[in-house]
């Protein structure tokens, strides 16, 4: 109880609204910073694919800002605020059915983001195919909550922030009648946290296999140490 009490003193949590332009900007900055990399008590923490591809902060901020601008009105973007009203944690998603573009969409200094896009599309496509095989129909908009990004720049109580933010989104999704929550987890730390605090599990297809894009099989990502991350997995929790 002590940790929870301290965390409630340290941070407050809320769902972003479309008219909160400044908070949306701060949330985009928090996400971009956490993906590019943050120093947490002397340890460098970053998303493995972003680290391998050396994407820059400015491009990634533009990407996260554009996503939030389109997704926030759905009501599944939650932020953690510190006492100075700075955003130190973000959990954001949407209820759109996965979309497979199948071609490069990013250009210039951000062109390597296409590598990440194709990894996500690979696991999403296989998940959609298995879903149709099991259910006899395609996934439709408004059926599932797709958790797209989580970022924490706070040094203290990082896991508690993820727990509280996720709880807000899961509770809202359940009350809205959504069937499940899915996400693409790109590293074992994310998987462990989502398993521990939100009861998400690695999804198994109808043949009993995990849906995963292995980094060792990707020429652009094979230099990622397997000790850091081995691949991007589909995680799911039914509501």
């Amino acid at each position: 109880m002590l940790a929870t009490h301290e965390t409630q003193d340290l941070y407050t949590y809320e769902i972003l609204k479309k008219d909160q332009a400044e908070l949306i900007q701060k949330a985009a900055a928090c996400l971009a910073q956490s993906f590019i990399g943050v120093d947490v008590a002397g340890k460098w923490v970053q998303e493995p694919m972003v680290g391998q591809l050396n994407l820059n902060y400015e491009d990634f901020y533009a990407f996260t800002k554009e996503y939030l601008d389109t997704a926030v009105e759905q009501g599944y973007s939650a932020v953690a605020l510190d006492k100075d009203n700075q955003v130190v944690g973000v959990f954001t998603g949407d209820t759109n059915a996965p979309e497979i573009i199948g071609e490069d969409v990013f250009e210039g200094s951000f062109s390597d983001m296409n590598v990440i896009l194709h990894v996500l599309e690979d696991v999403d496509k296989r998940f959609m195919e298995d879903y149709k095989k099991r259910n006899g129909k395609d996934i439709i908009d408004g059926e599932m909550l797709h958790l797209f990004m989580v970022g924490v720049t706070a040094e203290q109580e990082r896991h508690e922030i993820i727990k509280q933010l996720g709880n807000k989104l899961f509770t809202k999704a359940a009350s809205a009648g959504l069937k499940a929550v899915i996400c693409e987890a790109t590293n074992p730390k994310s998987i462990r946290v989502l398993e521990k605090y939100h009861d998400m599990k690695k999804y198994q297809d109808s043949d009993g296999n995990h849906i995963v894009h292995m980094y060792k099989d990707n020429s652009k990502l094979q230099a990622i140490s397997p000790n850091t991350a081995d691949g991007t997995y589909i995680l799911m929790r039914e509501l």
Side-chain angles (χ1 to χ4, degrees), residues 15 20-21 36-37 42 51 53 103 114 131 133 152 158 165-166 181 186 191 220-221 223:
I15 301 285
Q20 295 174 304
I36 296 297
L53 296 168
E103 59 185 35
N114 291 307
Y131 180 92
K133 184 178 178 181
V152 180
R158 291 170 58 84
L165 291 176
V181 180
T186 66
I191 292 171
K220 295 288 185 73
L221 301 170

Side-chain angles (χ1 to χ4, degrees), residues 91 147 150 159 162-163 166-167 170 181 183-185 187-204 210 230 233-237:
F91 223 139
L147 297 175
V150 56
H159 284 188
I162 293 172
K163 179 181 177 181
N167 284 348
F170 278 75
V181 180
C183 73
E184 306 95 349
N187 63 84
K189 288 181 179 178
S190 295
I191 292 171
R192 284 195 298 269
V193 169
L194 290 167
E195 286 177 337
K196 180 177 181 179
Y197 296 115
H198 301 301
D199 199 30
M200 297 193 77
K201 300 283 190 295
K202 289 180 179 176
Y203 181 82
Q204 291 185 320
H210 292 137
D230 65 346
Y233 290 79
I234 291 286
L235 269 63
M236 181 175 177
R237 173 181 154 188

Side-chain angles (χ1 to χ4, degrees), residues 71-119:
V72 71
E73 64 184 342
Q74 292 190 14
Y76 292 100
S77 298
V79 295
L81 302 166
D82 66 13
K83 290 181 178 179
D84 298 320
N85 208 42
Q86 297 303 307
V87 175
V88 294
V90 184
F91 223 139
T92 182
D94 60 76
T95 62
N96 304 331
E99 181 184 8
I100 308 300
I101 300 170
E103 59 185 35
D104 291 353
V105 296
F106 301 104
E107 300 176 339
S109 59
F110 204 45
S111 60
D112 272 354
M113 185 65 188
N114 291 307
V115 177
I116 297 177
L117 172 69
H118 296 318
V119 168

Side-chain angles (χ1 to χ4, degrees), residues 12 30 72 101 120 137 159 172:
T12 56
C30 176
V72 71
I101 300 170
L120 300 179
K137 65 182 187 66
H159 284 188
K172 182 166 185 174

